[in-house]
Amino acid sequence: MVEARESEGLAARIAAVPAADRVAIVDRRFVGHTHALRLALTDPRFDATAVPGALSVQAAARPALARALAAGQDAAGQDAAGQDAAGQNAAGQNAAGQDAAGQDSGSLPDALASALLAEGVAAHRPELGVLVAAVPASDADRAGAAAAVGAIDGEKVRLRNAVKARDGFFTTYCVSPYSRYLARWCARRGLTPNQVTTASLLVALVAAGCAATGTRPGFIAAGVLLIASFVLDCTDGQLARYSLQYSTLGAWLDATFDRAKEYAYYAGLALGAARGGDDVWALALGAMVLQTCRHVVDFSFTEANHDAISHTSPTAALSDKLDSVGWTVWARRMIVLPIGERWAMIAVLTAATTPRTTLTVLIIGGALAACYTTAGRVLRSLTRKARRTDRAAQALAELADSGPLAEGLAKVLAPFARRLPGFTAPAVALLGAAALVATAALAPWGSWWPVLAAAGYVLTSGLAVARPLKGALDWLVPPFFRAGEYTVILALAAVSGVNGALPAAFGLVAAVAYHHYDTVYRIRGGTGAPPRALVRATGGHEGRALAVTAAAALAHHTGFTVTLTVIAGALTLMVLTESIRFWVSSAAPAVHDESGEPA
């Protein structure tokens, strides 16, 4: 770290720091809260971060900093060592130089932050709120700043800011009031967010094991442990914000472990029910399919509108108006059944009722929430005049997970697709998925009708992606594909009556869902979808649907279970190997979700 008032040979001193390291420049006159300085100097998510009087620059922005220093030396006719205590900036600004916030600070870090902007690097300026960060120009200013620091408990603000600003009702009022203190306890003992995330997973797996016992004490213990796992799940994010320990790997672990915990718990409920003579594997698989499809709706809609050039729709305006009425905010957040409310409901129902009741209520609640959120997004899309970008279309194409069959057909059908109406893509995707699922559910077991329907599904899938997904409702294409693929597996396993088919189908859908979640979080991290070679090797959604229907027609009795198990094992091996390789070695920027609880 370089103190700005001791900036002799500044460029040389910075150059001596290893190129892969972060450098920080702090004005020795800085007065402020320790956490304000921490926000500027330790947040790994941004190439450059600044608060008044302090600047930190990561390795990626070091060349821009060097150019800014060189430009300042040329403009001022002297090198950084000649800058005096008034802090003339790297562009030759004098002691009255304006900082990036438009304040007269005469501070070298502030001047360098402005110079970085001219070099194409915008320094992130964290929201300080009531925290103080200043470079006083006089003794009187210094005394005033010191008094302001003493008037605000910086640690209390730090602890409050560790909690997401937007969360569900259950999380906000039943978990966060005490989990933030658990996060601080973990920070003071050197625990990392990833360690807490892993602990949350282990507790949830133990909860699933308790549910699998099929006994009332086991169900009660499972409910208690599931809540404990959720508390730890909240704690890991709060710990990351409290200690500014963000990482790409951590964001991936947090996202994927949430799904692993929930779906493992569904399996535990099904195993526990089986011990009591009740087969609820179809319900467990149905709950997983519904929840995964809900998430795909969320992801697709978000990506489609991430950078859309649009006017606010009347529906969005109404939503904003409702948000101004306090109680409606919480009511609407609870209606969508976010993870906090959902896990609390599952825990209570597990302890007090049966697995069948728990899963049935979960499916009904999830279905109502899905109808509410999807209907609102459809209305927004239809009433919003938007022009979606190539980036959004590319993200939707990656979320579609089209394999070689759909890809090849899309190229052939592209000239024809350009002449079709704008709603064609979601319409044919829905038609193909619905026909496939209906045929699988209604056709006699072992017949070839589902295979013919799967061939039609391949055709409609190719037509749906034959042109860029830029239509108002094209974000529905990936969810329709997910629903078609997952539900046909469920339908075939349910109607087969083959022993072990439904648990094997559960494993297959879990493997495919992991692949789709992995795709989502790669896109969110700005690194793009998994390699096309992996997507082609896994067959794409249409290839897998065709393979499963063919297996149902060809296999008999236990052969179908074995086939599903083999496909699930092969997919798990391929997607896990590539996923772990990528996330462990990824150079993607550190990220963390601040948008609130996912559905």
Side-chain angles (χ1 to χ4, degrees), residues 409 413 425 428-433 453-465 481:
L409 281 171
L413 297 173
V428 298
L430 175 60
L431 177 64
Y457 178 72
V458 171
L459 179 62
T460 57
S461 299
L463 181 59
V465 297
F481 285 165

Side-chain angles (χ1 to χ4, degrees), residues 279-351:
D279 186 355
V280 298
W281 275 106
L283 290 175
L285 180 50
M288 180 167 66
V289 169
L290 175 61
Q291 192 56 44
T292 305
C293 289
R294 284 189 63 198
H295 284 147
V296 176
V297 169
D298 294 341
F299 299 144
S300 293
F301 181 79
T302 300
E303 290 302 324
N305 295 281
H306 183 272
D307 52 4
I309 302 169
S310 66
H311 302 290
T312 302
S313 71
T315 307
L318 175 60
S319 177
D320 294 338
K321 186 176 181 179
L322 288 174
D323 281 344
S324 65
V325 183
W327 68 269
T328 67
V329 174
W330 294 117
R332 293 166 66 213
R333 290 187 190 178
M334 293 174 70
I335 287 173
V336 301
L337 203 62
I339 188 171
E341 277 74 1
R342 189 169 68 252
W343 283 28
M345 181 183 74
I346 293 171
V348 171
L349 289 175
T350 300

Side-chain angles (χ1 to χ4, degrees), residues 39 59 62 94 168 283 329 385 400 471 594:
L39 289 170
R62 290 272 300 273
N94 59 26
L283 290 175
V329 174
K385 296 178 181 179
E594 299 292 340

Side-chain angles (χ1 to χ4, degrees), residues 37 42 122 152 199 210 229 238 322 325 350 366 380 396 472 564:
L37 199 60
T42 63
I152 301 295
C210 291
S229 174
Q238 291 165 0
L322 288 174
V325 183
T350 300
R380 288 191 184 201
L396 290 179
L564 291 180

